[in-house]
Amino acid sequence: NGYIGIMLISSSNNSLTSNNSYSNANVGIWLGASSSNTLTSNQSYSNTSVGLGLYSSSSNTLSLNQSYSNTIHGIYLYSSSSNTLTANTANNNGTSGWGYGIFLDGSSNNTLISNKLHNNTGRGIELYNASSNNTLTLNQSYSNTNVGIYLDSSSSNTLTSNISSTNTAAGIYLD
């Protein structure tokens, strides 16, 4: 496939359901400056960079998606806010040697509920670079090579009833 499997740019009110995006030269599914889209039951795997990525995107709903065996991250939000991620699975990401299941970078006011993150070569979930006011509830992060849930330079986040177990370095780590 091409550089990006499925791409929405400056798009809103679209639904992507039951699509497969794999073996792309960069990202499987990419939303840039897009809002109010719904992504449900998609699979994104074996992409050279990220399985599912949001860049400067807000108010999107991602549920029941599977993102696995991507070279870097499973699900990546950069400078994105007010998105809801529910019951997604991100596993075996970081095939190049370091990757996260879900990575929020400079992203705030997002809600992560009941996501499963396991066997990633870095962290299950990371909030980084002033990612604030995010809510993480009932997520399961286990058997990741480093930390289950890692908050780095991020504040005012709420973590409730998450399970983080059998990770190599720590379950939940605040830095």
Side-chain angles (χ1 to χ4, degrees), residues 80-83 104 106-112 127 130-136 151 153-159:
S80 295
S81 63
S82 303
N83 298 287
L104 276 61
S107 296
S108 298
N109 301 306
N110 297 289
T111 303
L112 283 64
L127 279 58
S131 291
S132 61
N133 299 307
N134 296 290
T135 301
L136 284 66
L151 278 61
S153 303
S154 297
S155 61
S156 301
N157 296 288
T158 302
L159 284 68

Side-chain angles (χ1 to χ4, degrees), residues 60-78:
N60 297 289
T61 300
L62 286 64
S63 58
L64 300 168
N65 298 290
Q66 296 181 6
S67 185
Y68 57 92
S69 300
N70 296 291
T71 303
I72 305 177
H73 307 307
I75 300 172
Y76 177 56
L77 278 65
Y78 179 82

Side-chain angles (χ1 to χ4, degrees), residues 8 11-16 35-39:
L8 301 178
S11 298
S12 61
N13 300 309
N14 297 291
S15 292
L16 298 175
S35 63
S36 302
N37 296 290
T38 302
L39 283 67

Side-chain angles (χ1 to χ4, degrees), residues 2-13:
Y3 192 67
I4 297 174
I6 299 170
M7 180 168 52
L8 301 178
I9 300 294
S10 300
S11 298
S12 61
N13 300 309

